């Protein structure tokens, strides 16, 4: 799925469930490295569960293998909430325009920079049914978290030097003071990007895969969706065939 955002042509990955009727949908945000096949498979897995899923792009079709190059692109984005929101809104418009999407039942799941984008959409007042993030304990501008009107779940590794304890505390304080229904899961012994399997690229210190916690984090994501946007709603019955 190609669409414009941030002055680039983004290349998202749309995965559709079986059937023909409308379904709950999930907007899936990738890590700061960009959208790769592993992250596309997240959308495919959600479609197998019955969701319309769009894994969106943040770098105009690029996936960075050089951490320094990735940081040079991602850090200015993270410092600019409006750019993050614009990237997220463009992808959300694509997901909403899909005929299989139930526009009243959309959840958001994001990792790293993708999670930061989805939190910013929540702070902008986008009506998601749920927001789940992994390694994205970013805080927003004062008072804006009060616009988040859905449950928020966040996961982070206990040994993540990027999302360190002080960042966890700041995120928790923001959510709590805003009256958000929030949860934070800390995975013991896990580093940053613990959820992503090893790839053939340079790795920054403090980054590493943890297979057991990666599976647990995925299970927690699925549990959040089951709670907030279940598939067993009568509206999920297939549409009758046309003659």
């Amino acid at each position: 799925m190609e669409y414009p955002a941030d002055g680039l042509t983004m290349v998202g990955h749309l995965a559709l469930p079986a059937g023909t009727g409308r379904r709950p949908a999930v907007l899936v945000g990738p890590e700061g490295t960009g959208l790769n096949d592993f992250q596309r498979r997240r959308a495919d897995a959600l479609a197998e569960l019955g969701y319309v899923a769009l894994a969106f792009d943040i770098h105009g079709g690029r996936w960075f293998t050089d951490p320094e190059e990735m940081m040079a692109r991602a850090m200015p984005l993270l410092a600019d909430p409006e750019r993050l929101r614009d990237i997220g809104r463009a992808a959300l418009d694509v997901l909403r325009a899909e005929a299989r999407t139930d526009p009243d039942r959309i959840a958001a799941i994001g990792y790293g920079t993708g999670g930061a984008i989805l939190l910013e959409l929540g702070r902008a007042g986008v009506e998601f049914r749920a927001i789940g993030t992994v390694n994205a304990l970013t805080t927003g501008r004062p008072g804006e978290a009060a616009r988040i009107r859905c449950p928020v779940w966040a996961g982070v590794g206990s040994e993540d030097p990027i999302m360190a304890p002080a960042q966890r505390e700041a995120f928790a304080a923001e959510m709590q003071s805003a009256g958000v229904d929030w949860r934070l899961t800390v995975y013991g012994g896990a580093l940053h990007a613990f959820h992503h399997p090893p790839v053939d690229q340079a790795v920054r210190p403090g980054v590493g895969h943890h297979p057991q916690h990666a599976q647990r984090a995925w299970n927690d994501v699925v549990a959040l969706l089951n709670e907030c946007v279940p598939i067993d709603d009568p509206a999920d019955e297939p549409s009758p065939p046309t003659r």
Side-chain angles (χ1 to χ4, degrees):
M1 300 291 293
E2 293 190 357
Y3 59 95
D6 199 42
L8 302 169
T9 298
M10 300 300 185
V11 186
H13 178 75
L14 179 69
L16 298 176
T20 59
R22 284 188 168 185
R23 296 291 189 274
V26 184
L27 189 61
V28 184
E31 289 87 348
T33 50
L35 187 60
N36 64 9
D37 285 343
F38 174 74
Q39 295 163 79
R40 294 183 185 96
R41 287 196 295 271
R42 287 182 182 138
D44 295 339
L46 291 170
E48 290 174 3
L49 294 175
Y51 296 96
V52 176
L54 176 66
F56 65 86
D57 184 11
I58 56 178
H59 301 315
R62 293 195 64 187
W63 182 69
F64 291 100
T65 58
D66 182 338
E68 296 305 319
E69 191 177 9
M70 180 272 291
M71 293 294 286
R73 161 72 182 167
M75 292 307 291
L77 289 178
L78 292 169
D80 190 336
E82 293 306 324
R83 284 181 72 190
L84 293 178
R85 294 177 185 188
D86 287 346
I87 290 171
R89 286 190 186 101
L92 182 58
D93 287 345
V94 172
L95 182 59
R96 282 177 169 158
E98 165 54 45
R100 299 288 309 282
T101 295
D102 181 341
D104 295 323
R105 292 187 294 163
I106 299 178
I109 301 298
Y111 298 78
T113 301
I117 288 171
L118 298 177
L119 285 169
E120 281 303 320
L121 288 183
R123 295 182 183 108
V126 172
E127 294 186 3
F128 290 123
R129 287 294 186 94
I131 299 173
T133 72
V134 181
N135 295 339
L137 302 180
T138 54
T139 52
R141 292 174 290 200
E144 290 190 341
R147 298 174 184 167
I148 299 175
R149 298 301 183 188
C150 66
V152 172
W153 171 83
V156 66
S158 69
E159 306 308 302
D160 184 340
I162 298 172
M163 298 294 156
Q167 185 66 31
R168 290 179 229 159
E169 292 172 6
F171 177 81
E174 179 193 31
M175 295 294 111
Q176 186 65 22
S177 63
V180 176
D181 175 4
W182 67 280
R183 286 166 280 177
L184 175 61
T185 301
V186 179
Y187 298 97
L191 299 169
H192 192 71
F194 69 89
H195 47 82
H196 199 296
V199 292
D200 185 18
Q201 66 179 124
V203 177
R204 298 182 66 204
V207 174
H209 183 49
H210 194 299
Q212 292 89 349
H213 285 325
Q215 183 60 53
R216 289 165 180 158
W218 178 252
N219 293 343
D220 287 338
V221 163
V222 173
L224 177 70
L225 296 176
N226 285 337
E227 174 189 343
C228 299
V229 277
I231 294 294
D232 57 355
D233 189 286
D236 298 324
E237 291 297 320
S239 301
T242 57
R243 295 186 178 182

